[in-house]
Amino acid sequence: MSAEEINKLMDDVNKRFAGVDVDSPTPPGPDVKGILASDDCEEKCNVAFCYKKGAMTNAATKKKVGNDCYCMPSGDDYCKEYYPKYKDGVVNKLGGKRLDTGIRFTVDSIKYVTNDDWHFHCCCTDAGFNYKIEQQNIFDQLIDKTMVRSKATVIVCDMSTKGGGTAGQASITGSGSCAGGPGVMIDRNAMNGANGAGADTLVHEFGHFLGLGHTFAETCKGESFGCKTEDRCNPSLNKGDGVHDTPIHIKQGYCNVDATGEPANSCPNQPGKDPIDNFMSYSGCHNLRFTGGQVKKMRGTIDDYFPAFLTKTDHGRVAKDLVCDPSFPNKVVPTGYKLPKQSGGGGGGGGDGVGKCSNLEAGKCANEDTACVCTAAIGCCKGFGCATFKESGAKGSGRCLPCNWDVLMPGTLLFTKDSCKTK
């Protein structure tokens, strides 16, 4: 990314944090011709089958896109399941006022790192099993631990081409999850988009960096993989994101609005419709915003952990210690950090899948479906060990994988010495 691109992107980010209406009156439609000539299969399937109910492309184009991008035979199922953008020109209605958060970002410095291995393997603790995970190492090496209280680090790389499959990641500051230091990682391709749309992803990740969870948080106490379906709308079991004015709701994953722009109401027995106009939801909707409760949470995170960000120099605040993963060089924990409590189980807690096996709830354990990393088997479930794939050169951290995989895939895995003990 050029300095010009970066500064334009940050200007778009700041407009959103200022509550500026960047989408009205109607967002522009997609560049159908340009998208069809691109390599983006999600967008190609979308404009071929979903946008204006497929009226913008002919049968031959639909057939080619469907065959090339696996959204055949008719595209109907694809549109029902994914339908991420361009919902026939309908603009969702705002669920509340756009608020000025009082938070702005400026570009302090730009550093270019030449490392193709890092660039193409920067995704994610729960990326595909054949993916060489370098994320923990990248965060650890590139984030200056002495400067994290006065500057925010954003790492731009390719998080999707080789199978990583995400647009961005960030730990939730204050949650106890911290992948080598507090920072944001963004996919280079996700920074593109008409009318500054690429900024939405970075705003979402900055929300995590400033302490916000997803609005659709579906974690119930005692459940390893989220709430049971019947418990997701139960406020006594599902506390959501912990922000009072973001209603409990079920993750949509697309712009689920009716013909008038009204959002879905996935928990009809609870107050408020789904906040899919919110920056911290997963939707393809326009007119995104933060709520008052979210603004208060972000500003509180700055007060607690980043008081040096405040523009007034006489605030007198002292930054709280950050609970961070101890995977720093030589295991030396810098001043201002403290190790997470070891519970005998492992992981969880970060934004968009970032998690550490060292701070799951007591009594929990990690398996191959748990989005966390490990350096030893202490947090792995019975019958699981901490392993890396040999093809990765045993770099970085591992994952809790079934012990029998060593038999099923001989010579593929490297388990830590404490893994898979018969006792």
Side-chain angles (χ1 to χ4, degrees):
M1 297 184 72
S2 66
E4 182 180 8
E5 282 183 284
I6 292 169
N7 283 293
K8 175 61 170 63
L9 176 68
M10 296 313 301
D11 181 58
D12 290 333
V13 167
N14 284 332
K15 286 178 181 177
R16 286 151 173 79
F17 272 89
V20 173
D21 183 349
V22 296
D23 297 310
S24 296
T26 302
D31 175 9
V32 175
K33 184 176 180 180
I35 289 172
L36 292 174
S38 74
D39 295 325
D40 191 328
C41 271
E42 181 180 281
E43 296 278 297
K44 289 165 74 172
C45 290
N46 203 322
V47 298
F49 293 103
C50 308
Y51 179 52
K52 295 189 180 297
K53 297 181 172 61
M56 303 301 291
T57 54
N58 57 32
T61 300
K62 288 182 174 63
K63 182 177 180 180
K64 176 172 174 50
V65 170
N67 288 334
D68 291 346
C69 295
Y70 304 101
C71 43
M72 284 294 278
S74 65
D76 289 346
D77 291 338
Y78 174 87
C79 295
K80 288 177 182 177
E81 184 174 354
Y82 297 100
Y83 210 98
K85 294 179 183 176
Y86 317 130
K87 192 174 178 67
D88 298 333
V90 175
V91 179
N92 60 290
K93 294 180 179 178
L94 280 169
K97 292 182 179 179
R98 297 174 183 270
L99 300 177
D100 185 346
T101 66
I103 298 168
R104 303 292 188 272
F105 299 87
T106 57
V107 179
D108 177 83
S109 60
I110 300 170
K111 178 181 180 180
Y112 293 96
V113 178
T114 303
N115 189 323
D116 284 354
D117 189 34
W118 280 7
H119 182 69
F120 288 108
H121 295 97
C122 53
C123 198
C124 309
T125 56
D126 54 352
F129 290 132
N130 291 323
Y131 189 87
K132 180 181 178 182
I133 300 170
E134 287 282 4
Q135 188 182 71
Q136 174 85 5
N137 188 36
I138 295 168
F139 269 109
D140 197 19
Q141 295 297 317
L142 294 187
I143 292 180
D144 183 346
K145 311 299 188 301
T146 66
M147 299 300 293
V148 294
R149 300 313 180 89
S150 57
K151 299 177 183 179
T153 301
V154 179
I155 299 169
V156 182
C157 53
D158 190 327
M159 303 183 76
S160 56
T161 296
K162 292 186 180 294
T166 195
Q169 277 191 301
S171 298
I172 300 175
T173 299
S175 69
S177 175
C178 191
V184 172
M185 189 170 279
I186 290 288
D187 178 59
R188 172 65 179 94
N189 293 320
M191 295 296 91
N192 301 322
N195 200 30
D200 290 345
T201 301
L202 187 51
V203 170
H204 178 100
E205 301 306 334
F206 271 137
H208 286 315
F209 179 83
L210 296 176
L212 298 182
H214 294 133
T215 59
F216 55 85
E218 298 173 357
T219 302
C220 288
K221 189 173 183 180
E223 298 293 335
S224 298
F225 304 107
C227 301
K228 296 176 182 176
T229 301
E230 62 269 23
D231 294 337
R232 290 178 181 174
C233 295
N234 185 341
S236 66
L237 297 174
N238 178 17
K239 302 302 182 183
D241 63 352
V243 177
H244 69 88
D245 55 1
T246 56
I248 291 175
H249 69 110
I250 296 173
K251 177 181 175 181
Q252 296 296 329
Y254 69 104
C255 195
N256 190 359
V257 298
D258 64 20
T260 69
E262 289 289 344
N265 189 8
S266 60
C267 292
N269 293 326
Q270 301 302 322
K273 292 187 176 181
D274 294 12
I276 54 179
D277 63 332
N278 195 283
F279 279 115
M280 304 311 294
S281 71
Y282 272 7
S283 76
C285 293
H286 298 281
N287 299 330
L288 304 177
R289 67 188 185 96
F290 290 114
T291 67
Q294 288 174 318
V295 173
K296 183 178 180 180
K297 178 74 172 179
M298 289 190 289
R299 293 172 72 98
T301 300
I302 293 173
D303 284 346
D304 286 345
Y305 296 102
F306 306 109
F309 287 3
L310 298 171
T311 54
K312 292 184 178 180
T313 58
D314 59 350
H315 51 75
R317 297 183 184 273
V318 177
K320 291 182 179 180
D321 283 350
L322 280 168
V323 179
C324 267
D325 184 89
S327 297
F328 297 122
N330 302 315
K331 303 296 182 183
V332 175
V333 181
T335 302
Y337 292 77
K338 60 181 178 181
L339 303 186
K341 294 180 180 179
Q342 298 293 330
S343 63
D352 295 321
V354 178
K356 297 292 161 291
C357 288
S358 57
N359 52 357
L360 272 180
E361 292 181 32
K364 296 292 182 180
C365 61
N367 58 32
E368 80 272 26
D369 294 320
T370 308
C372 66
V373 296
C374 61
T375 55
I378 185 173
C380 299
C381 296
K382 184 178 180 179
F384 290 77
C386 182
T388 57
F389 283 82
K390 284 186 178 180
E391 66 182 38
S392 72
K395 291 182 179 179
S397 301
R399 299 177 63 183
C400 291
L401 301 178
C403 294
N404 65 359
W405 282 18
D406 202 28
V407 178
L408 296 173
M409 299 183 292
T412 303
L413 299 171
L414 292 172
F415 281 94
T416 57
K417 292 182 178 180
D418 64 334
S419 295
C420 305
K421 303 293 186 181
T422 55
K423 65 179 181 180

